[in-house]
């Protein structure tokens, strides 16, 4: 009896400790966040992870539309290594991404700083700034297609009326004109996203910081350099990461506006992949082009992640 009396509390204690550990696991802040993320992670794996894995696998096969392929190793990548059109698409994608992202950031930051001031009809102006972003991409492309039309372009007509040119500009027929035209269209669509996001970040900066800096005799540039920019840096890192990813993988605007022409001058890696895989039916080759985009995207994400992890970025430039 004495032994059983001693053993029973031990068993109860063990059960209580197990329940306590489980309760701690369920109620821990870190694990609680994990449980909330599980459903979203499952959806992402199902709808993003599986297609990504399938695309990578197809890049190692000679699959065509209507015919199952066989494993051919790196042949698709070896073929792309000698394909001048593919390398032109890589150049176009990098040029398109770098120039458009820099322009969107510069204009978006300027608009955010402007909209953060006390302006009349500020709410209306903020709503108008969002219009390019909320208009469907295809409608924007059609509008720019008319603006860039070689015969009826409003830009060419206006410049001719001013006497600055004597003939219409061939916006989409000349390779370099077409590149700059598509970049401008992308900038027009992407600026509102960056401007509104940075404006939200500016709203979190305490006005007392600016007041103290003003009392110390700081100029507008000094207030921006030592207060605004350091506090916005984490937000800038996130918003520019999204901007680079969206720009690098852009498909709709280019395809609706130029179809990659003229003579492949505006083909991005995304549009070339679609052309080879869906239109030409070479699924393996198109998948290889898409897979070749992954290192660039991982590099952009890695740079942003590294920046967000450093104390210099998170604490507004402080190394202490």
């Amino acid at each position: 009896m004495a032994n059983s009396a001693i053993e029973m509390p031990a068993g109860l204690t063990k059960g209580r400790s197990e329940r306590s550990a489980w309760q701690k696991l369920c109620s821990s802040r870190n694990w609680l966040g994990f449980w909330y993320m599980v459903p979203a992670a499952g959806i992402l794996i199902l709808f993003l992870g599986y297609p990504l894995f399938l695309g990578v696998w197809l890049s190692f096969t000679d699959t065509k539309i209507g015919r199952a392929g066989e494993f051919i190793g790196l042949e698709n990548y070896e073929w792309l290594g000698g394909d001048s059109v593919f390398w032109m698409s890589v150049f176009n994608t990098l040029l398109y991404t770098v120039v458009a992202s820099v322009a969107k950031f510069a204009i978006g930051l300027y608009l955010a700083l402007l909209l953060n001031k006390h302006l009349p009809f500020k709410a209306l102006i903020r709503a108008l700034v969002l219009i390019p972003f909320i208009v469907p991409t295809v409608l924007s492309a059609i509008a720019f297609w008319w603006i860039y039309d070689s015969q009826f372009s409003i830009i060419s007509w206006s410049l001719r009326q001013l006497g600055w040119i004597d003939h219409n500009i061939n916006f989409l027929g000349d390779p370099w004109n077409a590149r700059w035209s598509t970049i401008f269209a992308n900038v027009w669509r992407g600026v509102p996203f960056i401007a509104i996001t940075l404006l939200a970040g500016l709203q979190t900066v305490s006005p007392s910081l600016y007041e103290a800096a003003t009392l110390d005799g700081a100029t507008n540039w000094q207030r921006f350099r030592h207060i605004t920019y350091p506090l916005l840096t984490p937000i800038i890192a996130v918003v520019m990461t999204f901007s680079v990813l969206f720009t690098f993988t852009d498909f709709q605007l280019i395809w609706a506006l130029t179809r990659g022409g003229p003579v492949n001058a505006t083909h991005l890696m995304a549009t070339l992949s679609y052309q080879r895989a869906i239109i030409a039916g070479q699924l393996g080759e198109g998948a290889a082009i898409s897979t070749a985009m992954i290192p660039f995207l991982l590099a952009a994400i890695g740079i942003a992640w590294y920046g967000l992890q450093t104390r210099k970025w998170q604490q507004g430039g402080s190394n202490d």
Side-chain angles (χ1 to χ4, degrees):
M1 292 292 294
N3 293 335
S4 62
I6 295 174
E7 291 175 358
M8 288 180 60
L12 290 174
T13 303
K14 182 179 179 181
R16 289 173 181 173
S17 64
E18 290 177 352
R19 288 194 297 272
S20 178
W22 173 250
Q23 290 174 355
K24 290 180 179 179
L25 188 64
C26 294
S27 60
S28 171
R29 178 177 297 180
N30 295 333
W31 279 99
L32 190 61
F34 171 78
W35 297 126
Y36 280 123
M37 288 296 296
V38 166
I43 294 174
L44 290 176
I45 292 173
L46 178 62
F47 292 102
L48 296 179
Y50 172 72
L52 176 62
F53 173 79
L54 181 60
V56 173
W57 166 253
L58 286 175
S59 70
F60 296 107
T61 69
D62 60 352
T63 304
K64 295 179 174 59
I65 291 181
R67 182 180 70 81
E70 298 179 354
F71 181 79
I72 58 174
L74 298 176
E75 287 188 20
N76 285 323
Y77 296 97
E78 293 174 356
W79 168 260
L80 291 177
D83 186 357
S84 60
V85 176
F86 167 73
W87 287 111
M88 181 181 291
S89 73
V90 173
F91 168 77
N92 292 337
T93 304
L94 294 176
L95 176 70
Y96 184 79
T97 302
V98 172
V99 176
S101 297
V102 171
K104 284 187 287 188
F105 171 71
I107 300 173
L109 179 60
Y110 173 77
L111 284 177
L113 294 172
L114 185 64
L115 294 175
N116 195 44
K117 297 181 179 180
H118 297 288
L119 299 173
F121 308 106
K122 183 166 60 177
L124 177 61
I125 296 174
R126 290 178 180 179
L128 293 176
V129 168
L130 278 174
I131 290 179
F133 186 70
I134 63 178
V135 172
T137 305
V138 174
L139 292 183
S140 298
I142 293 175
F144 276 103
W145 186 78
W146 279 102
I147 292 173
Y148 294 146
D149 186 84
S150 59
Q151 295 183 0
F152 306 106
S153 169
I154 185 64
I155 300 176
S156 295
W157 180 85
S158 300
L159 294 178
R160 291 185 66 178
Q161 294 299 313
L162 293 172
W164 292 0
I165 60 175
D166 57 3
H167 62 280
N168 287 354
I169 301 173
N170 191 8
F171 286 102
L172 301 180
D174 178 80
W176 277 104
N177 285 348
R179 289 187 179 107
W180 297 124
S181 298
T182 53
I183 288 173
F184 179 83
N186 180 271
V187 170
W188 181 83
R189 277 193 53 79
V191 162
F193 169 72
I194 295 178
I196 296 300
T197 306
L198 295 182
L199 177 61
L202 288 173
Q203 300 292 308
T204 65
V205 180
S206 175
S208 61
L209 297 175
Y210 295 112
E211 294 173 0
T214 302
L215 292 176
D216 290 337
T219 63
N220 290 335
W221 167 249
Q222 289 173 330
R223 290 196 295 270
F224 172 80
R225 173 66 182 85
H226 298 287
I227 299 177
T228 305
Y229 178 73
L231 295 178
L232 275 184
T233 302
I235 299 176
I236 291 173
V238 174
V239 73
M240 288 309 298
T241 300
F242 281 105
S243 176
V244 168
L245 296 181
F246 293 156
T247 307
F248 191 90
T249 58
D250 193 9
F251 170 81
Q252 297 182 67
L253 183 64
I254 299 297
W255 192 256
L257 193 58
T258 66
R259 294 293 197 277
V263 292
N264 303 311
T266 59
H267 255 316
L268 304 184
M269 296 175 72
T271 57
L272 183 63
S273 173
Y274 174 81
Q275 185 188 65
R276 297 283 178 85
I278 305 302
I279 297 180
Q282 304 290 335
L283 290 178
E285 185 178 341
I289 298 174
S290 296
T291 303
M293 299 169 64
I294 295 178
F296 296 99
L297 300 176
L298 291 178
I301 295 173
I303 293 172
W305 179 84
Y306 174 78
L308 289 173
Q309 294 302 312
T310 58
R311 291 172 60 87
K312 182 177 180 180
W313 283 46
Q314 288 187 343
Q315 297 185 5
S318 175
N319 292 320
D320 298 334

